[in-house]
Amino acid sequence: EDKVVQSPLSLVVHEGDTVTLNCSYEVTNFRSLLWYKQEKKAPTFLFMLTSSGIEKKSGRLSSILDKKELFSILNITATQTGDSAVYLCAVRKKSSGDKLTFGTGTRLAVRP
Amino acid sequence: NAGVTQTPKFQVLKTGQSMTLQCAQDMNHNSMYWYRQDPGMGLRLIYYSASEGTTDKGEVPNGYNVSRLNKREFSLRLESAAPSQTSVYFCASSIHSEMNTEAFFGQGTRLTVV
């Protein structure tokens, strides 16, 4: 059975802190790993990772994939209150109709 | 830009009632999906449609049916609602199953079954 496990489940930090969110997976025929941010409503796309060791970066957010150890991390530096959200990790398999298997998410709260 | 549009945004049903959740996308995407999100459970796939005219079961299909009416629209039907179907439902779409791109999500439907 495919598994996507995120840790920690929740996290409270202060503005300016750096956080690292973890996502480990056990799937056959791995194709890609995606990170989403979910505030009140729809998840919004952050990154898609397909190759090990290549960092994807967007402003203060960055992510990297390790296909040997089967995990990814999402880093947020100099956190702001607007980063408060649930961060979702999802994995896509080959030959699976493009569907995504999600982890339970990490709830991040950034205090002023 | 509309993207993925779901209706209704909120709904309260009595046990045993039926309803259809509507989803439409205007991005010419081939693949569409229905997920449910429950506290502590993440997003779980109910049904998906890799292309117009095809549908397949996901992880939690029991109690649901779907129709891919055309390329734009993918509806989810609850024939006889149960309290266990209280959840937030998200529709999503992606361009094509072979292109490995991100999925875009609608704003969600909060359904309560009493």
Side-chain angles (χ1 to χ4, degrees):
Chain A
E1 186 183 328
D2 299 334
K3 269 195 209 175
V4 180
V5 179
Q6 292 187 245
S7 64
L9 291 179
S10 66
L11 192 55
V12 180
V13 300
H14 290 284
E15 271 193 315
D17 288 350
T18 293
V19 298
T20 298
L21 309 182
N22 303 292
C23 176
S24 64
Y25 61 92
E26 292 177 30
V27 300
T28 53
N29 295 318
F30 173 86
R31 188 177 188 188
S32 56
L33 185 145
L34 290 81
W35 284 97
Y36 283 84
K37 178 182 181 182
Q38 186 178 26
E39 295 176 84
K40 293 201 189 302
K41 295 184 179 178
T44 54
F45 173 74
L46 293 174
F47 299 112
M48 182 166 67
L49 303 150
T50 55
S51 302
S52 275
I54 298 175
E55 186 183 53
K56 292 278 182 97
K57 198 169 169 63
S58 176
R60 296 176 293 102
L61 278 67
S62 63
S63 184
I64 197 160
L65 174 68
D66 186 327
K67 288 168 75 173
K68 184 178 176 188
E69 300 298 329
L70 308 182
F71 77 92
S72 174
I73 59 172
L74 175 68
N75 278 322
I76 308 175
T77 59
T79 51
Q80 302 171 357
T81 54
D83 295 326
S84 296
V86 174
Y87 289 85
L88 297 165
C89 171
V91 171
R92 177 180 280 141
K93 297 168 58 166
K94 296 175 186 173
S95 305
S96 68
D98 222 27
K99 57 185 188 283
L100 297 170
T101 299
F102 282 85
T104 54
T106 294
R107 182 174 295 278
L108 174 65
V110 181
R111 304 287 185 229
Chain B
N1 294 334
V4 180
T5 303
Q6 289 182 234
T7 56
K9 289 187 170 50
F10 301 94
Q11 183 72 50
V12 179
L13 290 178
K14 292 183 180 177
T15 297
Q17 285 185 316
S18 62
M19 80 161 293
T20 299
L21 280 65
Q22 307 286 354
C23 175
Q25 52 87 12
D26 62 2
M27 296 175 282
N28 202 34
H29 285 175
N30 289 296
S31 301
M32 297 185 74
Y33 318 87
W34 276 105
Y35 288 89
R36 61 177 287 174
Q37 187 173 34
D38 303 294
M41 301 288 288
L43 283 151
R44 292 184 292 167
L45 184 66
I46 306 171
Y47 270 93
Y48 68 102
S49 170
S51 62
E52 185 179 354
T54 68
T55 61
D56 286 285
K57 293 178 181 179
E59 186 185 349
V60 287
N62 291 346
Y64 305 96
N65 284 302
V66 290
S67 295
R68 184 74 183 266
L69 304 167
N70 47 55
K71 192 171 185 180
R72 290 186 65 246
E73 298 172 288
F74 188 39
S75 61
L76 178 72
R77 182 158 178 85
L78 287 71
E79 289 291 351
S80 178
S84 61
Q85 293 177 304
T86 294
S87 189
V88 180
Y89 292 84
F90 287 99
C91 178
S93 69
S94 60
I95 188 164
H96 193 282
S97 63
E98 297 305 316
M99 291 183 68
N100 200 25
T101 59
E102 70 269 30
F104 295 82
F105 285 81
Q107 293 298 300
T109 297
R110 185 174 293 276
L111 175 66
T112 303
V113 183
V114 297

